[in-house]
Amino acid sequence: MIRSPAERERLAAELTAASKEIDGVRYLRASVAARILGVGPGHQSAYIRDGRIMPVRVRVPRSPQAPRGLLTALPLGQTIALLDRPIKRDWTASEDAQLADRMAAGTPTKTIARLHGRTVKAVRRRALHLRLHRRHETALLTTGNVAQLCGVSRQAVRWWTEHGLAYTPMRDGQRERMIDPKYLIAYLSDKPTWSKLSARRRERLEAMAMTPTQLNRLIDRRAA
């Protein structure tokens, strides 16, 4: 979610008031900037690592806040520029249900992000947290997908298809075999491989085999 112009102006004023001029450039303490921005040390490190802000070390008298006599200061202009970045907003149960429905319908991630007013990264993280996948009732998995999900080799998946696992050959004469998640679960349910899978992997496969209605019911149960 993007800050409103009024909120941005208010925060920029707070940052400016907390800054001090050093050699013609205004700086403010990193801890103070973090408090005003409402972020933690992790965000500060990410901003520095990504090159969005270039801090300086300022020598100050030793104190409990600066036991080594050094403080990290952030340039005011670069700090104010961070106000234009989207801010974190908690997901509601209604948004989770909409996300599940759109993921199940195969809606592109960029479109989902725009509809929810969030970043693509935020949508991907929430989908991962809810164990949602962009699949619908007719979606199929490649042997590579199945191998990754089950933690086995592609050769093992091909062996499964040759010994009872139903699959659909790809068109245009390709050798790739497409597998329905429902058939995969049914095939593995009485095999040692299924019992060896972690609970998280089993839940991911089961979610991929669900219809949009079933996914929404799952979201409702988790939100209750």
Side-chain angles (χ1 to χ4, degrees), residues 164-165 180-191 194 209:
L165 175 57
D180 190 309
K182 296 191 294 293
Y183 296 150
L184 175 63
I185 294 174
Y187 176 79
L188 293 178
S189 59
D190 59 348
K191 302 289 190 301
W194 183 256

Side-chain angles (χ1 to χ4, degrees), residues 102 107-120 123:
R102 286 163 177 159
T107 306
T109 304
K110 288 184 178 180
T111 302
I112 295 176
R114 177 174 55 79
L115 293 173
H116 284 265
R118 298 179 182 271
T119 63
V120 171
V123 170

Side-chain angles (χ1 to χ4, degrees), residues 135-150:
R135 301 289 175 185
H136 50 78
E137 294 173 274
T138 59
L140 302 177
L141 304 174
T142 65
T143 54
N145 296 148
V146 174
Q148 184 177 17
L149 287 167
C150 296

Side-chain angles (χ1 to χ4, degrees), residues 30-31 33-35 38-49 53 72 74:
S31 58
R35 176 179 55 78
V39 301
H43 283 78
Q44 294 182 57
S45 300
Y47 296 152
I48 295 170
R49 183 175 60 253
I53 197 163
T72 300
L74 309 182

Side-chain angles (χ1 to χ4, degrees), residues 103-221:
M103 292 287 288
T107 306
T109 304
K110 288 184 178 180
T111 302
I112 295 176
R114 177 174 55 79
L115 293 173
H116 284 265
R118 298 179 182 271
T119 63
V120 171
K121 192 172 184 179
V123 170
R124 288 173 177 167
R125 285 182 174 177
R126 190 60 179 177
L128 180 62
H129 175 73
L130 297 174
R131 298 184 176 91
L132 301 178
H133 303 271
R134 192 174 292 99
R135 301 289 175 185
H136 50 78
E137 294 173 274
T138 59
L140 302 177
L141 304 174
T142 65
T143 54
N145 296 148
V146 174
Q148 184 177 17
L149 287 167
C150 296
V152 299
S153 65
R154 292 194 180 193
Q155 288 77 9
V157 178
R158 288 187 176 275
W159 189 92
W160 293 346
T161 60
E162 294 168 359
H163 292 80
L165 175 57
Y167 69 91
T168 302
M170 284 189 69
R171 298 178 180 178
D172 302 327
Q174 297 183 13
R175 295 180 58 192
E176 185 63 80
R177 301 172 181 185
M178 307 301 293
I179 301 165
D180 190 309
K182 296 191 294 293
Y183 296 150
L184 175 63
I185 294 174
Y187 176 79
L188 293 178
S189 59
D190 59 348
K191 302 289 190 301
T193 301
W194 183 256
S195 61
K196 293 179 181 178
L197 291 178
S198 65
R200 184 172 183 179
R201 284 178 183 261
R202 288 197 296 269
E203 288 180 2
R204 287 184 66 187
L205 283 171
E206 290 168 350
M208 297 179 81
M210 289 181 181
T211 64
T213 300
Q214 291 172 325
L215 279 171
N216 283 330
R217 288 175 180 170
L218 176 64
I219 294 298
D220 292 339
R221 288 200 302 272

